[in-house]
Amino acid sequence: MLTFWKKGYRGTSLDQIVEATGASRAGLYATFGDKEAIFSRCLKLYGDELEARVDEALRHEDPIGGLRELLLASANRLADPMTPPGCLRCNATLELSETGLFDRVRDANDRYKHHMARIVDRAVQLGRLPEAEAAGLASFITAVVNGMVILSRTGAGRDELHAIVDRTLRQFGGT
């Protein structure tokens, strides 16, 4: 996953995947299939990791507070020089938008938006957001995070990304 994240789909060779995993080429083919199938599994793993972070945010007493922690953690990862630049989902979206792999990337983006909707729905259920404000909020949060990814790739640091998170949450009553 990290190899695809760092180098992109096109920039990652099967030899690099073999080196990164320590598996044999034959073992990779037998387990996963071709490079496209390996990449698809990486996108799923990336989404599974997000799902775990969203589940943790949903355990927060206040869903807006949980969302804040989730977004700040994303900002911290984006600003961390030890983490690959951007995010696998967004990088793949930009790289593969006009390829046969785009359906898989679109699914990863839809999954991300679905997880943001889970947080918004919980905030509505607990009375932290009026139902009328909830429509489109998952898309808005997704757009903000995607924008933070692009800004981080162009040099935005932790403080700037944290300010974006704070401003975003203020738009719908979060602090």
Side-chain angles (χ1 to χ4, degrees), residues 39-128:
F39 179 73
S40 294
R41 290 285 293 267
C42 291
L43 277 177
K44 182 183 179 324
L45 174 62
Y46 195 79
D48 291 348
E49 291 176 357
L50 168 70
E51 185 172 355
R53 291 191 308 271
V54 169
D55 288 345
E56 184 177 323
L58 286 169
R59 287 191 290 276
H60 198 282
E61 182 178 313
D62 173 19
I64 304 300
L67 177 61
R68 182 177 196 282
E69 289 177 11
L70 181 72
L71 294 178
L72 289 175
S74 292
N76 291 340
R77 274 190 304 283
L78 290 169
D80 183 351
M82 300 306 292
T83 302
C87 99
L88 177 63
R89 178 184 56 80
C90 291
N91 296 351
T93 299
L94 295 172
E95 178 187 9
L96 303 172
S97 64
E98 296 182 17
T99 70
L101 286 169
F102 190 66
D103 286 343
R104 292 186 175 124
V105 174
R106 183 183 306 120
D107 290 346
N109 282 294
D110 289 346
R111 185 177 183 195
Y112 186 93
K113 193 176 355 176
H114 165 76
H115 289 307
M116 295 306 102
R118 290 175 55 210
I119 295 174
V120 170
D121 290 346
R122 180 151 185 270
V124 168
Q125 290 169 357
L126 295 176
R128 285 289 279 126

